[in-house]
Amino acid sequence: MKRQGVLSATGVLLLALVAMMTLHEWEDRVPDLFSDRESAPFVIAEQVTAQSFSETGRLQYDLRASQLAEMDGEQRTLLSDPDFRLYDPELVWEVSAKEAIVTEKGDHIRLRDEVNARHHGDENVLLTTEELVYQPKEELLTTPGPVTLSGRSGETRADAMRAALGEGQLELNGRVTSRYEQLPQ
Amino acid sequence: ATESSGGDVVISADKAVFRQQDGFGLYQGNAELRQGNRQVTADRIELHLRNDVLHHVIAQGSPVTLREGDELEARGDKLEYDVADQRIVLSGNARIRQNGRSFEGGRVVYDLRSRNVEASGTTPEDRVRIVIPAADTQQGNNNEGARR
């Protein structure tokens, strides 16, 4: 039976939650002693790779970025070309963008420029947009601009998206258009 | 229908809400559904999916309109489309016009495969009304005469 991707966007959201928490964890690891210094990146790391393993040594996630810059006084962390992969045990989700900006101590995470969130499970959902904002405390995932959700049996486009992760509800605004592939009758 | 009325279902509206766990999607505001040459317009269109496959559509409007090429035009307060059974049920001031004939009643059922229409009243006052153009009846008589 063909599966329609658009309603499994909430699956995408679970990924975003994990991805963003990782960025949040990463932001914490930069020593606090830097946080009172004024403008300009204080710490720059190139070709960053961060991996997390379970107690049994199984890979849980893998985060790569071509650059990480900790902007001292501004409590901002910039990641260039972030690519986040979540394993369970095989690759389940992959989120990438040109840039990620972590602010408000990880409570506001903005992914920008060619944002792709792909689910490698049987759903094979792909969320594409130019900007994805995640607010962990509010469990809110939004795209201020156009977003496309495509899956094996359908595709939905909208001008903006708001997903309340806790409620498992996805709202799409602006003219919304969905195409559901139908099995021949 | 000259053009196929099967194929992908395209739905558009001013906004939409999805609840993945329930397999539910609600399109609201200038909602429209197209499938081949079949077009539904409504205030809101509700989708129900099973295993992510579209299996039931409920449209409500003032009224909901359904058009299928030049052959069929229908309206009602509510339209239910059972995708698997390929059946449309119109209810509430329901009317279907098909090839010049019109069927009105509280409830009108249109079978997309057989093209059959079935009209019924839902309350004592709500009687069924069928209008068959004179030309059709004349043609019927001619055929009858020719067979004797």
Side-chain angles (χ1 to χ4, degrees), chain A residues 3 26 28 45 51 66 86 97 105 114 116 121 149 158-159 166 184:
Chain A
R3 305 181 63 85
W26 181 265
D28 266 350
Q51 292 185 320
S66 61
L86 181 70
K105 284 194 170 298
E114 296 175 22
N116 283 272
L149 294 154
D159 293 345

Side-chain angles (χ1 to χ4, degrees), chain B residues 20-63:
Chain B
Q20 167 66 11
Q21 295 82 343
D22 312 334
F24 170 81
L26 175 60
Y27 294 78
Q28 288 179 291
N30 302 306
E32 184 185 271
L33 177 150
R34 285 177 179 274
Q35 183 176 31
N37 69 344
R38 180 177 305 140
Q39 177 191 15
V40 173
T41 61
D43 298 335
R44 55 181 265 145
I45 296 179
E46 219 179 88
L47 299 196
H48 295 272
L49 292 97
R50 197 177 292 140
N51 294 329
D52 289 324
V53 174
L54 186 59
H55 79 94
H56 196 62
V57 177
I58 302 173
Q60 288 174 290
S62 39

Side-chain angles (χ1 to χ4, degrees), chain B residues 88-109:
Chain B
I88 285 178
V89 178
L90 279 147
S91 52
N93 306 306
R95 183 197 71 196
I96 282 191
R97 276 210 188 109
Q98 183 193 39
N99 298 325
R101 300 175 178 187
S102 92
F103 305 78
E104 290 184 31
R107 184 170 186 271
V108 177
V109 180

Side-chain angles (χ1 to χ4, degrees), chain B residues 7-18:
Chain B
D8 290 357
V9 172
V10 178
I11 299 178
S12 57
D14 294 340
K15 61 180 181 178
V17 173
F18 296 103

Side-chain angles (χ1 to χ4, degrees), chain A residues 160-174:
Chain A
M161 176 188 90
R162 179 184 183 282
L165 304 184
E167 299 155 30
Q169 182 153 306
L170 177 72
E171 294 162 19
L172 295 171
N173 290 296

Side-chain angles (χ1 to χ4, degrees), chain A residues 80-83 95-100 111-116:
Chain A
S80 307
D81 310 307
D83 184 286
V95 180
S96 63
K98 285 285 185 225
E99 187 181 59
L111 285 153
R112 280 200 304 209
D113 231 351
E114 296 175 22
V115 182
N116 283 272

